[in-house]
Amino acid sequence: MAFESGTATDYRNLLERLRVFLTQHPALVAAGQQWTELRWVSDAATQELLLRAPGLAGADDIYCGVRSYENPTSGYYMWDLNGSIGFSQVDTFYAQPGCLTGWLPMMSLWNDATPYWFVANGRRAVVVAKVSTLYQAAYLGFILPYTAPGQYPYPLLIGGSMTGQRGRRYSVTGPNHRHFVDPGEDVQNASSTATMLRGPAGAWLPFQNTYSPTTESRYDSARPVWPGSYAYLSVFREALDGTYVLMPIVLSQGNSAGDHDLFGELDGVYQVSGFNNAAGNLIQVNGVDHLVVQNVFRTSVRDYWALRLA
Amino acid sequence: MAAFAGIVAPGSAVGEPVHYERARGISGYRPVRYPFAAADSVSPLAGTRGAARPISEPQRRLAGARMPSFADDWYHRIHLLPPRIDLGNVISPIVRRLEVWNAHLQEQTVLAIEATGADGLALSGPPAPPLVFGALQSRTYSFSASHRGTPAINAAFTFRFAGGAEMRLGVTGRRVVVFGIRPDWSDGMTERLEWLSEVLEAHDGSEQRIRLRQLPRRSFEYSWLLEGQDVRLLEHLLFAWGARIYCLPVWTDGSRLLQDVVAGGRQLVVPDAAHSDYHPGGIAVLWRSTAENEAVEIASVDGAALTLTLALGQSWPAGTRVLPARLARLDGTTGVRRLTDTIASGRCRFTVEDLGASSAPEPGTVYRSYSVFDWPPDWSEEIDVSCQRKLTVIDSGTGPRGFDDESGAPQLGRRLTWLLPNRPQITAFRQWLAARTGRVHPCWLPTFTSNLQVSRAVVSGGSGLVVRNTGYSRFVTAHPQRRDLILRTRLGTFFRRVTGAEELSAQEELLSLDQPLDVTVTVDQVLQVSWLELVRLDQDAVELFWETDGVVRVQLSTRTLPS
């Protein structure tokens, strides 16, 4: 798997670097897992990047896209994130086959120096970008489903850090500005969220853990993301020997019987305790570094996750 | 990195300006008005924004451990889906889908797929090994089973991977052939149902009965008379298939197709399906001759319509015989008598392998928590009654003999014959028989004889029954084996218990009933008064003798129990 970190000059440069990383990174090329560029449009105000990921064995076709645009007057510089089940040359970014419609998961960036971390393999890419002292993130590609491919062939997750329903500056605080690992929305069970999964039946399913713009109340929604939805996560600490436990992030769905169905877990992304921890730390597990990331501006114990840098 | 010009606005750094100052040369103050003199303020300070971002932050290195999850169990292995295939009865070609998924995050190579016992089975689809499965790659194989091959299918397909890993797909099932030799109805056909029970009898005649077998064994026995090609076919069938499992049409439950059915159809409409041996998961046979027949599997039975699991292989015209079928083995010796060089007769006996239980409730009214079976027997054969005592003779040989009547009551045994003239009655009788489970479960059975003769009208509300004196009050008087009666009248049938008896005269005696009749019955309205006995079967095996495919003769032995 490929990993790259550096500093982009602004949000447009960040996308240019992601494009080069996904399509040309030597580690991806060596493994035959480089992504194919289907569309690259770069004009004065916007950029459009549509990609196809090959899967680990080159036997999959995973369609994702990023579109950047800005509004200097209002001060926002955005990436819209989307996924589809195919590619149509004649259709716009927002009208690809089977893509997300309406509000999309997005990243709210800025027009200034942006440290970033890119991780990718043939199935999925994860982007972490540091804007001022905030962190933005995105997940594009397949999760690791708890089923066989024949049962659930297209487990595509489009995860961002902003839902887009409200103000979009990176300075927005509230449940609509949360990472895909512990997503929220200020209206309960609305389909606008930073975490959208294409379910086994082919419908896009929203996942949410919090609501209410003032209190960020937690609730066991129709589709919570574990363990962010877990009520006692705020007292979760490191182990007695000082090591930090990285917990898988599992997408679940409440069913009518009162318990939960599990779709699967995110690849290389884990919940970690923020106790005595800080964004930017590196946690080493079996010789592999994991970057500690905070959930946008939040710094409480429950608001940290780790990204495998390999 | 952008650099912007800026100013620092004048503020408190300069200090509060003096609002009044004393004018030189005069004693007094004058106000100072804006703008101040340049000397009162400092010049704005120009600044630039430095390119300090990104700010480097102190970074710590921590140790961690990853929490295992279901993904650790589910991934990092090879999955065969489904992990085993049970074909059931292969009576027509079957195709199933097999998914082979390399759930390792690294590629795996299949070096070979080894098959054992795979006669008539085939895997197809992806290229032949050696074949590389990429990380998380899944391939779908098509698994097909032909109905030709070994009778018992116990095959294994082993996927041998580089590195030594093996995955084994077990396949089980069986193939059956239709035993299409039809019976010679001149001899009828015998169906035998055998339960198994143990009866432990106490000194006083009471008993404990234990059911030992979950389902009754079932067998069919019939004769045939064949000619020409059919004889040769039968001989080869017996020679080659021998003791294996046959698909035996249940000849007693046959009917005919009312309409043509075409190949590819999935529906059969059979008259009288409710009273035939069709059941979901079972087999039906379309039969035109010994050689020309087809077995199909039934998915569901809905009224007269049978839905098949697979489409029909060929078309059949209206009038074709349709029969339910059971899997059966030939039991014992099958004799073939050659009458001429082309004609043969013989008799065969099949034991059924796929037994089923009757889930239907037993027919009949319930009296004192046991059902009453009041179907009159066939009087063309007499009812034998035996009265046996549990009598022990103590004979030392030298002195007088001693006798001990252990239970103090006779055991009445009866032998009854029923003739069941139509299919609904046969079905009801089977349900009654299934509820008996051999000797285990008793029921009420009238004696079917006129045991008492009513001599006076029974008034409504009266609880006494005056009958001709037969010595009941003198000898019997509500004995536990002889106190329930069935009173058949023109106004209805009544079940009553006799609670006491009293001799009125030499001609009449009065029986007290536990419950009065609610109608007035005159003497000439009484048809028959019979004792009602709590009986159980005195045999675990019952033979249904099919005179034709719609008429059954049954003979049963019963014995009474204290009620």
Side-chain angles (χ1 to χ4, degrees):
Chain A
M1 272 190 281
F3 158 60
E4 179 182 300
S5 75
T7 303
T9 55
D10 56 22
Y11 78 105
R12 285 174 66 95
N13 179 240
L14 187 67
L15 186 51
E16 284 158 11
R17 287 172 181 244
L18 179 65
R19 171 187 169 230
V20 172
F21 169 76
L22 289 175
T23 56
Q24 295 173 24
H25 193 277
L28 290 177
V29 173
Q33 295 179 13
Q34 76 275 19
W35 296 31
T36 306
E37 182 179 293
L38 302 171
R39 179 186 295 171
W40 172 244
V41 178
S42 179
D43 56 34
T46 61
Q47 297 162 300
E48 235 176 77
L49 178 62
L50 289 175
L51 297 155
R52 183 180 65 226
L56 298 186
D60 294 315
D61 288 312
I62 305 162
Y63 295 91
C64 303
V66 181
R67 182 175 182 274
S68 79
Y69 55 97
E70 64 182 25
N71 185 336
T73 316
S74 300
Y76 61 74
Y77 305 87
M78 305 299 296
W79 277 15
D80 273 2
L81 311 170
N82 208 341
S84 61
I85 56 171
F87 170 66
S88 164
Q89 190 66 55
V90 297
D91 286 320
T92 66
F93 180 83
Y94 299 102
Q96 291 294 312
C99 72
L100 273 166
T101 54
W103 296 114
L104 308 178
M106 48 179 75
M107 289 174 82
S108 186
L109 300 161
W110 69 351
N111 194 24
D112 205 342
T114 308
Y116 66 87
W117 294 263
F118 293 154
V119 175
N121 62 15
R123 273 169 82 81
R124 64 96 179 87
V126 182
V127 176
V128 171
K130 188 179 173 191
V131 174
S132 183
T133 55
L134 319 176
Y135 285 79
Q136 300 286 332
Y139 186 110
L140 300 169
F142 281 1
I143 63 168
L144 293 173
Y146 292 163
T147 56
Q151 298 162 314
Y152 185 8
Y154 206 68
L156 179 62
L157 181 86
I158 301 299
S161 51
M162 176 73 96
T163 67
Q165 195 173 1
R166 292 285 167 88
R168 308 192 216 183
R169 287 169 57 97
Y170 68 81
S171 55
V172 165
T173 59
N176 53 351
H177 197 186
R178 298 182 69 97
H179 286 177
F180 57 88
V181 296
D182 189 9
E185 178 46 50
D186 47 5
V187 181
Q188 277 197 48
N189 293 328
S191 59
S192 158
T193 165
T195 308
M196 297 294 289
L197 175 73
R198 195 174 185 277
W204 285 101
L205 308 175
F207 288 78
Q208 290 156 346
N209 285 346
T210 72
Y211 70 104
S212 174
T214 50
T215 58
E216 297 211 286
S217 305
R218 289 196 172 264
Y219 69 108
D220 197 2
S221 70
R223 283 180 215 92
V225 178
W226 189 88
S229 58
Y230 183 51
Y232 298 100
L233 200 59
S234 53
V235 294
F236 177 54
R237 287 191 55 164
E238 77 276 27
L240 289 174
D241 64 354
T243 56
Y244 282 79
V245 177
L246 273 55
M247 287 190 283
I249 291 169
V250 181
L251 302 171
S252 66
Q253 171 172 270
N255 66 28
S256 56
D259 53 8
H260 287 85
D261 304 322
L262 305 181
F263 290 100
E265 61 188 58
L266 304 186
D267 186 5
V269 175
Y270 309 93
Q271 184 83 30
V272 71
S273 169
F275 192 91
N276 205 13
N277 204 347
N281 283 350
L282 291 174
I283 298 176
Q284 201 170 61
V285 180
N286 295 334
V288 179
D289 279 341
H290 292 68
L291 176 75
V292 176
V293 183
Q294 71 192 34
N295 194 338
V296 192
F297 54 88
R298 297 169 185 81
T299 53
S300 81
V301 167
R302 64 181 311 151
D303 289 319
Y304 287 85
W305 55 282
L307 170 65
R308 187 175 65 221
L309 298 181
Chain B
M1 187 66 46
F4 303 102
I7 60 165
V8 177
S12 59
V14 179
E16 185 70 13
V18 179
H19 295 287
Y20 297 93
E21 65 179 12
R22 187 182 301 222
R24 284 185 206 106
I26 53 171
S27 69
Y29 296 92
R30 63 181 172 96
V32 179
R33 297 195 184 281
Y34 186 82
F36 306 121
D40 292 335
S41 185
V42 294
S43 302
L45 299 174
T48 56
R49 196 179 70 146
R53 268 183 309 277
I55 300 158
S56 70
E57 293 170 23
Q59 191 179 45
R60 277 202 300 150
R61 285 196 157 269
L62 304 167
R66 201 177 57 78
M67 184 186 196
S69 70
F70 177 63
D72 296 82
D73 294 331
W74 183 244
Y75 288 87
H76 317 293
R77 66 196 65 239
I78 308 278
H79 288 272
L80 297 185
L81 302 160
R84 80 186 71 79
I85 294 177
D86 181 9
L87 296 168
N89 300 312
V90 183
I91 50 181
S92 52
I94 290 177
V95 177
R96 298 274 175 91
R97 182 175 170 277
L98 172 73
E99 183 180 356
V100 179
W101 178 37
N102 169 27
H104 287 279
L105 298 175
Q106 299 81 34
E107 67 177 33
Q108 302 285 323
T109 305
V110 178
L111 297 179
I113 303 173
E114 290 166 9
T116 54
D119 182 24
L121 309 176
L123 270 182
S124 58
L131 179 62
V132 176
F133 279 72
L136 298 187
Q137 188 175 9
S138 156
R139 283 196 168 96
T140 305
Y141 285 81
S142 175
F143 174 83
S144 59
S146 157
H147 61 297
R148 296 177 201 288
T150 54
I153 302 169
N154 186 13
F157 290 87
T158 306
F159 290 75
R160 212 172 285 288
F161 287 88
E166 283 179 13
M167 289 304 294
R168 188 173 176 279
L169 173 75
V171 182
T172 53
R174 53 188 168 188
R175 295 186 176 92
V176 293
V177 297
V178 176
F179 192 82
I181 310 293
R182 70 171 152 181
D184 174 10
W185 279 103
S186 67
D187 278 356
M189 191 164 172
T190 302
E191 180 180 351
R192 191 175 164 87
L193 297 166
E194 280 177 81
W195 287 267
L196 187 66
S197 47
E198 185 164 346
V199 177
L200 308 173
E201 194 174 10
H203 191 77
D204 68 351
S206 60
E207 56 187 36
Q208 182 186 5
R209 296 176 300 274
I210 304 157
R211 177 181 181 176
L212 298 178
R213 196 178 282 166
Q214 187 68 28
L215 295 170
R217 290 190 182 157
R218 188 176 176 196
S219 59
F220 290 97
E221 191 171 346
Y222 65 88
S223 310
W224 71 77
L225 182 63
L226 296 175
E227 184 267 333
Q229 186 66 13
D230 289 353
V231 181
R232 294 185 276 275
L233 201 105
L234 171 74
E235 280 187 336
H236 286 136
L237 201 58
L238 292 177
F239 179 84
W241 211 255
R244 295 169 189 165
I245 294 172
Y246 295 90
C247 172
L248 177 71
V250 180
W251 295 103
T252 56
D253 289 4
S255 54
R256 287 178 190 275
L257 281 183
L258 300 176
Q259 289 169 334
D260 295 358
V261 291
V262 292
R266 277 180 178 246
Q267 285 266 335
L268 287 181
V269 177
V270 289
D272 218 13
H275 297 117
S276 304
D277 198 14
Y278 298 106
H279 59 280
I283 305 169
V285 169
L286 293 137
W287 190 95
R288 284 190 73 77
S289 72
T290 307
E292 193 189 352
N293 48 54
E294 182 181 356
V296 289
E297 201 171 337
I298 303 167
S300 64
V301 182
D302 182 19
L306 309 181
T307 305
L308 310 178
T309 49
L310 290 168
L312 281 168
Q314 60 185 102
S315 301
W316 298 92
T320 303
R321 294 185 63 122
V322 192
L323 306 126
R326 290 283 178 177
L327 299 175
R329 280 183 202 277
L330 265 180
D331 194 18
T333 313
T334 306
V336 180
R337 280 191 307 279
R338 286 284 192 170
L339 307 179
T340 71
D341 70 334
T342 57
I343 297 176
S345 72
R347 196 165 176 83
C348 60
R349 182 183 153 101
F350 281 97
T351 52
V352 174
E353 290 278 309
D354 58 333
L355 300 168
S358 166
S359 56
E362 65 173 308
T365 50
V366 174
Y367 170 65
R368 290 183 184 270
S369 71
Y370 293 104
S371 70
V372 179
F373 190 71
D374 59 347
W375 292 14
D378 177 20
W379 280 101
S380 69
E381 292 189 33
E382 64 272 20
I383 297 179
D384 292 336
V385 186
S386 64
C387 186
Q388 199 188 348
R389 289 203 166 259
K390 209 161 174 282
L391 194 66
T392 307
V393 181
I394 304 152
D395 186 0
S396 60
T398 53
R401 292 192 298 176
F403 293 91
D404 180 14
D405 188 356
E406 290 177 0
S407 62
Q411 291 169 340
L412 295 177
R414 277 173 214 279
R415 198 162 173 76
L416 303 117
T417 306
W418 278 276
L419 190 68
L420 309 168
N422 55 47
R423 305 200 63 86
Q425 280 216 41
I426 295 168
T427 305
F429 188 83
R430 276 178 182 282
Q431 286 160 359
W432 176 80
L433 212 51
R436 301 286 73 75
T437 56
R439 293 185 289 171
V440 177
H441 292 119
C443 72
W444 294 107
L445 200 64
T447 57
F448 300 109
T449 51
S450 297
N451 299 110
L452 297 170
Q453 199 174 0
V454 176
S455 58
R456 293 190 208 172
V458 188
V459 293
S460 173
S463 60
L465 191 64
V466 179
V467 295
R468 298 275 290 274
N469 192 337
T470 51
Y472 181 82
S473 57
R474 212 179 307 158
F475 303 122
V476 185
T477 320
H479 188 275
Q481 284 192 27
R482 178 135 295 190
R483 55 180 172 178
D484 295 281
L485 52 81
I486 174 170
L487 184 63
R488 293 182 206 270
T489 71
R490 292 191 198 281
L491 303 173
T493 303
F494 303 93
F495 301 100
R496 290 292 182 274
R497 171 163 284 187
V498 177
T499 53
E502 191 186 334
E503 198 162 25
L504 295 178
S505 66
Q507 280 74 43
E508 286 181 320
E509 52 188 336
L510 173 69
L511 311 186
S512 315
L513 303 181
D514 60 337
Q515 205 188 334
L517 303 190
D518 49 6
V519 290
T520 299
V521 182
T522 59
V523 172
D524 54 355
Q525 282 174 326
V526 176
L527 299 174
Q528 192 184 47
V529 185
S530 302
W531 294 115
L532 202 55
E533 293 172 339
L534 188 67
V535 303
R536 63 165 169 81
L537 296 189
D538 204 14
Q539 65 201 63
D540 277 334
V542 176
E543 282 189 352
L544 308 180
F545 180 74
W546 295 77
E547 307 260 10
T548 73
D549 63 357
V551 178
V552 165
R553 184 179 295 280
V554 195
Q555 197 164 54
L556 294 178
S557 304
T558 66
R559 58 175 290 178
T560 53
L561 300 172
S563 53

